[in-house]
Amino acid sequence: MRNQKLGSFIPYLIVTLAVVSLIFMNFDTTTKKLTYAEYVTLLEQNKVTETNVTVSTVVIKLSGKVKDGTTEYDYTLVIPNTEAQNNGLMDKINASTTTVKIIDAYATNPYVDFFINFVPLLLMGGLFFFFITRMQGGNNNKAFDFGKSKAKLEGDIKVRFNDVAGCDEEKEEMMELIDYLKNPKKFAKMGARIPKGVLMVGAPGTGKTLLAKAVAGEADVPFYSISGSDFVEMFVGVGASRVRDMFKKAQATAPCIIFIDEIDAVGRQRGTGLGGGHDEREQTLNQLLVEMDGIGDNAGIVIVAATNRPDVLDPALLRPGRFDRTITVSLPDRKGRAAILAVHARNKKLADSADLVALAKRTPGFSGADLENVLNEAAILAVRENADTITMHHLDEAIDRVIAGPAKKSKTYSEREKKLVAYHEVGHTIVGLMCQDSDMVQKVTIIPRGTAGGYNLMTPREEKFLLTKTDLIAKITGLLGGRVAEEIVFNEISTGASSDIEQATKIAREMVMSYGMSDLGPIQYEHSGANVFLGRDYNATRSYSSQIAFEIDKSVRALIDEGYEKAKALILANRPLMDKIVEVLMEQETLTSEQIQNIVEGKPFDTPVIEVLPA
C-alpha cells in the first residue's frame, strides 16, 4: 500500500523535473566558450557577426554568433569590467563589422521570476497535502467517512467445516444457515422463517469466530466482520450511523453474513450504568435493534454474534425476531479434543510415537485455542532441540508449559524445601491413587514452574456432564492432600498449599450457596459462576440474613473438614507407599502415571509398560 502511494507521485515528479530542465537548460549544444584573446582575434578578422553586451559593475558578459567560413556557432565570454575598459574593448567592438546589442544586466525574465516565486509555494502546498493524507491513514479516518461502517468485507473465505472440529452439534445447527443462504426460496416456499440472528455463547478459544467463518466459507457468501467496540465512539450518534451504513452495505450484497464479535461491548443492558446510562452505546444498541427489525423475512442477511458474557446482554436483543437462536459452544470433550488436535497437526511433523488420543486424555478443560497452542509449543521445543519430528516428550512438556509455565531448572531448593515439596505433591498423588472418586494422577514433578514449587497433573477418570456431591468432596479431598502430607511428615505447614486451599474453599462455598448440597437445603443463595456486572449488581443486596450467613460459614467449614479428614486417613494408611514414591521422586524429579503405577505394584519405576491387545 505504501509503495502504491509513493508510485502515484512519480508522474508529478517527472513533470516538475521536465519544467525545470526546460527553463534552465541551454538547448543549443554548439555554444563555445572563448578566451579574451580568441575573441579579440575573431573580432579583428571580422568573423564575429553578432555581439550581445551585458555590462555590470563587476563583469562584462559577451555572447553572440561567429561565422568562420562555412562554420557558424554561438559563443560566450565573461571578462572583468576593469580589463575591458583598460584594453578599450568597446572601441574594438564598435570599429568592427559586428552587430552590437546592449542588454541591461539588471533586467529580469518574468517567466523565470514567476517560476522562482511560485514553485516553492506549490511544492510546500503539495508536501502539506501529502503529509495530511498520510496522517489520515485509511478511509475510515477521513472526515466524510467518520460515520461509515468499519466492518471488514472478507470474500473467498478458505475456512470449511473440515477445519472446525470438536463441535459437531453446533455445526449441525449452523448447517441450516448454509442451506438457507444457498437456496432461500426453499424455506420461503415452505413458509419457514430462518433466524435473523444467531448468538454463539462460549468460553474464550472455543472456536466461535472460526465457526462463523466456516459457515460463510461453506455458503460462499460475503462475510462482514466487526467487533462490538468498533461501533462506540466518544461522539454521540457515530455508532448509530455506522450501524445504518453496515446494514445498508449488507443489503446491497445479500445474501451475506454479518459477524459481530464481542457483542456485549455494545449490547449491554440499557440503564445500568453508574450515574446514568451511556448515551452513545445505548443509541448504538437502539439502532441495531431497529435495523434487525427492518430486515425482511428471508431477506438473505444473517447476523451471527459471539460473546462469553450472555448474562449482561439486553433482553431486547434476545427476543424472537432478532437473535432467535442461541448456540452454546462448549469446551470439547475427549473425542472432540482428539479431533481438534488432528486438525492442527496437519502441518506438523509428528513422530510415529506421538499419540494424539493419549494427549486428548491429558488435556481436560482445554479449549480449541489451548490445544493449538500445545501443538505450537511442542513444535517450537522440537526446533529448539534440532529434532527431526515432534515426539511425545515435546507434547508432554508443551502441556506443562501451557498449564503452569516453563520449567525453572536453574532455581535451586534447599534439601529440606525439596523434600517438603516432594511430600506435598505426593500427598495429592496418594489421594488420587486411593480415592476412587478422585482425579487420576498423570504426572508429578518437583521442578518449579511459574509461581509453583512443584506440579501435579490430575485428570478425571471419566468426563462427566454432571458432578455429584461425592465427586465434589473427592475433589476437595485431593486438593487438601498436599497440606495434610506436610502436617503428617513435618508437623509443619507452608505457603505451598495456598492455591489448593483457594480452590477447595471455592468448591465448598458453591456446594452450599449454589448447588444446595448442605444441611441448609436446596436453596440458592448465590448465582454460580456469574461475573458481576458492575452497573447492574453494584447495589444488589444480600438475599439472606446474618444468621443464614453464619450457617453458610459453618456448612463450608464442615465440607472442608470432611475432605481434610478423608485425606488424612488415606495418607496415614498409605504412609509407606508415600515414602517410597517420594524417594524415587527426589531422585528423578518427574514421574509419569505409568512409573507411579510400577512403584505401587512393587516393580522398578522404569519397568516398560506392556499393552495387552484384545484377542
Side-chain angles (χ1 to χ4, degrees):
M1 181 64 70
R2 180 177 295 178
N3 292 335
Q4 293 178 356
K5 289 184 177 180
L6 292 176
S8 63
F9 286 94
I10 292 178
Y12 300 100
L13 181 61
I14 294 174
V15 171
T16 303
L17 293 176
V19 171
V20 173
S21 61
L22 285 173
I23 295 177
F24 292 103
M25 186 178 69
N26 190 349
F27 294 99
D28 193 349
T29 59
T30 61
T31 302
K32 184 178 180 180
K33 291 185 178 180
L34 300 177
T35 64
Y36 178 75
E38 292 175 340
Y39 175 74
V40 172
T41 302
L42 293 173
L43 191 64
E44 293 175 348
Q45 295 175 357
N46 293 323
K47 293 181 179 181
V48 179
T49 60
E50 181 179 327
T51 300
N52 299 318
V53 181
T54 305
V55 180
S56 68
T57 57
V58 179
V59 297
I60 296 177
K61 181 179 179 181
L62 302 175
S63 63
K65 293 183 180 297
V66 174
K67 188 174 183 181
D68 188 2
T70 58
T71 303
E72 186 175 4
Y73 57 88
D74 293 337
Y75 72 91
T76 181
L77 172 65
V78 178
I79 59 176
N81 196 342
T82 55
E83 183 181 356
Q85 292 179 359
N86 294 336
N87 295 328
L89 177 62
M90 293 306 299
D91 295 336
K92 296 177 181 179
I93 293 174
N94 293 328
S96 66
T97 59
T98 183
T99 303
V100 181
K101 181 180 180 181
I102 304 300
I103 300 174
D104 186 358
Y106 301 99
T108 58
N109 189 331
Y111 297 103
V112 175
D113 291 343
F114 174 79
F115 180 82
I116 293 174
N117 295 324
F118 180 73
V119 168
L121 297 177
L122 183 63
L123 291 175
M124 291 178 62
L127 288 173
F128 178 78
F129 177 77
F130 172 73
F131 285 115
I132 289 296
T133 304
R134 291 289 300 275
M135 290 173 63
Q136 286 177 343
N139 293 331
N140 288 323
N141 292 327
K142 294 181 180 179
F144 294 103
D145 292 342
F146 194 69
K148 298 294 184 181
S149 170
K150 288 188 175 182
K152 299 178 181 178
L153 176 59
E154 300 182 28
D156 192 23
I157 295 178
K158 304 298 183 182
V159 181
R160 298 292 185 270
F161 273 170
N162 292 334
D163 302 317
V164 184
C167 50
D168 296 335
E169 293 79 9
E170 291 82 352
K171 288 194 287 188
E172 289 179 4
E173 292 290 326
M174 304 297 278
M175 284 296 296
E176 292 180 0
L177 300 181
I178 298 172
D179 194 15
Y180 162 66
L181 291 169
K182 287 184 175 180
N183 189 10
K185 293 182 179 179
K186 180 171 68 174
F187 290 84
K189 183 178 179 181
M190 189 60 65
R193 179 183 61 81
I194 203 70
K196 293 181 181 179
V198 176
L199 180 65
M200 292 192 295
V201 178
T206 50
K208 300 183 290 294
T209 303
L210 188 66
L211 190 58
K213 284 189 174 182
V215 173
E218 292 284 349
D220 193 21
V221 296
F223 182 78
Y224 290 92
S225 175
I226 191 171
S227 173
S229 60
D230 288 335
F231 292 111
V232 181
E233 293 284 353
M234 65 178 290
F235 302 109
V236 176
V238 174
S241 175
R242 290 177 177 174
V243 171
R244 288 191 297 269
D245 185 66
M246 180 180 67
F247 278 87
K248 182 179 179 181
K249 291 179 179 178
Q251 290 173 359
T253 58
C256 64
I257 292 177
I258 298 175
F259 177 67
I260 305 175
D261 197 11
E262 305 296 345
I263 193 174
D264 52 278
V266 70
R268 293 196 173 202
Q269 295 180 19
R270 290 167 289 183
T272 54
L274 293 175
H278 188 306
D279 289 341
E280 164 62 3
R281 182 177 56 77
E282 293 189 2
Q283 286 193 23
T284 305
L285 175 58
N286 292 338
Q287 189 63 44
L288 179 62
L289 298 175
V290 171
E291 292 294 338
M292 293 186 71
D293 285 338
I295 299 176
D297 294 340
N298 300 326
I301 300 176
V302 176
I303 300 134
V304 180
T307 182
N308 51 19
R309 291 294 307 275
D311 55 304
V312 304
L313 294 180
D314 195 283
L317 268 177
L318 305 179
R319 75 158 177 82
R322 286 169 182 156
F323 284 102
D324 308 72
R325 182 176 297 176
T326 299
I327 298 177
T328 301
V329 186
S330 306
L331 292 171
D333 57 10
R334 183 183 301 177
K335 181 180 177 182
R337 292 195 297 273
I340 292 172
L341 288 169
V343 169
H344 291 299
R346 291 174 182 172
N347 63 338
K348 304 290 192 301
K349 295 180 65 176
L350 295 178
D352 295 336
S353 61
D355 188 353
L356 296 182
V357 176
L359 191 65
K361 293 180 181 178
R362 300 181 187 180
T363 51
F366 276 44
S367 66
D370 293 331
L371 295 172
E372 191 275 336
N373 192 28
V374 166
L375 287 177
N376 186 62
E377 288 287 347
I380 293 174
L381 289 171
V383 173
R384 186 181 298 174
E385 297 178 4
N386 294 321
D388 296 329
T389 57
I390 302 172
T391 63
M392 205 65 191
H393 161 70
H394 298 132
L395 294 171
D396 286 337
E397 176 64 20
I399 293 175
D400 295 340
R401 292 173 68 90
V402 171
I403 293 177
K408 298 181 179 179
K409 297 181 180 180
S410 61
K411 186 175 181 180
T412 57
Y413 285 130
S414 67
E415 191 65 23
R416 176 178 172 79
E417 279 183 323
K418 186 175 182 180
K419 193 172 183 179
L420 188 146
V421 172
Y423 270 102
H424 179 101
E425 299 303 334
V426 175
H428 295 300
T429 303
I430 292 296
V431 176
L433 289 171
M434 301 305 167
C435 181
Q436 294 299 319
D437 298 312
S438 182
D439 293 343
M440 294 176 58
V441 178
Q442 296 291 345
K443 178 190 288 188
V444 60
T445 178
I446 55 175
I447 298 175
R449 288 182 180 273
T451 59
Y455 171 60
N456 197 316
L457 176 61
M458 304 180 71
T459 60
R461 298 178 187 273
E462 58 177 349
E463 295 189 33
K464 300 179 180 179
F465 189 72
L466 297 174
L467 294 175
T468 64
K469 182 179 180 180
T470 303
D471 295 331
L472 294 174
I473 291 178
K475 284 184 176 294
I476 294 174
T477 303
L479 289 167
L480 296 178
R483 166 57 66 87
V484 172
E486 292 178 11
E487 290 188 4
I488 291 175
V489 177
F490 298 95
N491 194 25
E492 183 65 276
I493 56 178
S494 71
T495 59
S498 60
S499 178
D500 300 330
I501 295 173
E502 178 184 358
Q503 295 181 53
T505 305
K506 180 181 178 182
I507 293 173
R509 185 165 290 276
E510 287 182 345
M511 290 174 67
V512 175
M513 302 188 67
S514 300
Y515 307 142
M517 295 179 178
S518 69
D519 295 337
L520 295 176
I523 301 175
Q524 188 180 60
Y525 297 102
E526 186 177 77
H527 295 289
S528 174
N531 294 320
V532 175
F533 182 17
L534 187 61
R536 181 192 63 196
D537 301 331
Y538 182 73
N539 292 322
T541 57
R542 193 171 61 180
S543 59
Y544 48 88
S545 66
S546 57
Q547 178 63 31
I548 293 297
F550 175 71
E551 295 294 334
I552 289 173
D553 292 339
K554 286 177 58 179
S555 298
V556 171
R557 178 178 293 275
L559 291 172
I560 296 294
D561 289 343
E562 181 180 354
Y564 182 89
E565 293 301 326
K566 286 187 175 182
K568 187 174 183 179
L570 288 171
I571 291 175
L572 287 174
N574 297 275
R575 174 67 187 272
L577 177 60
M578 182 172 67
D579 293 337
K580 187 184 299 184
I581 297 176
V582 167
E583 181 182 353
V584 179
L585 182 61
M586 290 279 289
E587 180 182 350
Q588 300 297 322
E589 293 189 333
T590 300
L591 294 175
T592 64
S593 60
E594 293 82 4
Q595 293 171 336
I596 294 173
Q597 191 61 38
N598 287 335
I599 298 174
V600 173
E601 295 174 359
K603 304 176 184 177
F605 77 95
D606 54 353
T607 302
V609 178
I610 301 176
E611 296 185 3
V612 180
L613 299 177

